[in-house]
Amino acid sequence: EYLGLTAADRALVTLPLYYCYGRSVLQTHLYAGGSLVLDNRMAFPRRVLETLAAEGCTGFAGVPLTFEVIRRQVDVSTIPFERLRYLTQAGGAMAPETIAWVRDAFRPARLFVMYGQTEATARLSYLPPERADDKAGSIGIPIPGVELRVMDERGTEAPPGEIGELVARGDNVTPGYLDDPEQTAAILHDGWLWTGDLAERDADGFFYHRGRAKEVLKIGGHRVSPVEIEQVLARHPDVREA
């Protein structure tokens, strides 16, 4: 719905279809009556983008590393993407500098930054491209049919600006892990999926991912996510990847 997919859409997919992100691209395009071009040659990113152009693809999906590889190895300005209208990114937090580069390099195609989990088949939120400037760094708003909340350690909803665990509810949320009631009980409470991700919500209802709960470091009395450190390191001109 938020991508506006129709039977006229064709996505180029480099992602494996056994992975929830790749499979979601497959399923949404088949549901809309569209088509896919499968190309797993990301070792040769220019060939992939040339195929995207030659096949008249309207969409392209990638994880952060996909776009980092393209940024480092391909002069995108030399390839005419006449039909490309949108790009999507999920599978982890992408550096703000890379997000800005993708938006500029593939313009006028629009970039949708998204967030999801395998247990939520497979998308939970998206950032409308028109809010990319004033909501930079946000994972956006819930997709249609999904509710998101940020819960504190007491199990109550946290106020705007306070970090807590992100929980989700919707028809796309799994009923549980097969033959594993203990793990199911650990993630599902009263119909809500506890994602294990830390987040905060602003006053406008936009969510911001702040790292994985199990990975947070306590430094000098402050909770710090490794992602925050990696993003700072990635800004240094001598650091190619963090």
Side-chain angles (χ1 to χ4, degrees), residues 163-178:
I163 295 177
E165 185 165 348
L166 188 65
V167 303
R169 181 167 66 180
D171 289 341
N172 58 324
V173 170
T174 180
Y177 296 116
L178 183 65

Side-chain angles (χ1 to χ4, degrees), residues 41-240:
R41 299 175 296 173
M42 273 309 296
F44 309 97
R46 184 174 181 87
R47 296 295 300 275
V48 171
L49 294 186
E50 288 173 344
T51 300
L52 188 155
E55 294 286 347
C57 294
T58 61
F60 180 70
V63 297
L65 185 57
T66 306
F67 294 107
E68 288 290 351
V69 168
I70 293 171
R71 183 184 181 185
R72 292 199 294 259
Q73 299 187 28
V74 183
D75 181 358
V76 176
S77 66
T78 62
I79 305 174
F81 303 109
E82 295 178 358
R83 294 194 63 207
L84 185 65
R85 69 175 186 84
Y86 77 89
L87 305 100
T88 62
Q89 179 264 312
M94 191 154 73
E97 293 79 9
T98 305
I99 291 175
W101 177 83
V102 172
R103 291 177 60 209
D104 183 63
F106 289 91
R107 198 179 305 272
R110 305 162 77 214
L111 172 65
F112 289 80
V113 173
M114 309 186 302
Y115 164 81
Q117 279 201 326
T118 302
E119 292 85 349
T121 323
R123 201 67 55 238
L124 288 169
S125 72
Y126 75 102
L127 179 62
E130 61 271 15
R131 303 303 301 270
D133 288 324
D134 66 315
K135 297 297 181 182
S138 173
I139 58 172
I141 56 178
I143 68 169
V146 164
E147 295 177 73
L148 293 178
R149 292 181 181 175
V150 176
M151 308 298 282
D152 62 22
E153 295 177 350
R154 300 182 299 275
T156 58
E157 188 169 6
E162 184 174 307
I163 295 177
E165 185 165 348
L166 188 65
V167 303
R169 181 167 66 180
D171 289 341
N172 58 324
V173 170
T174 180
Y177 296 116
L178 183 65
D179 299 329
D180 198 337
E182 290 187 8
Q183 286 281 36
T184 298
I187 66 162
L188 293 175
H189 304 283
D190 299 322
W192 289 88
L193 169 68
W194 288 64
T195 65
D197 286 322
L198 297 176
E200 64 179 286
R201 174 177 57 88
D202 69 14
D204 297 324
F206 282 73
F207 291 82
Y208 295 78
H209 186 266
R210 298 306 188 205
R212 292 287 294 171
K214 293 180 180 179
E215 296 175 352
V216 165
L217 311 172
K218 291 187 177 179
I219 302 174
H222 298 282
R223 295 197 302 179
V224 179
S225 168
V227 174
E228 295 179 86
I229 300 173
E230 289 173 357
Q231 289 180 351
V232 172
L233 288 171
R235 294 194 198 110
H236 195 285
D238 292 335
V239 176
R240 293 191 57 164

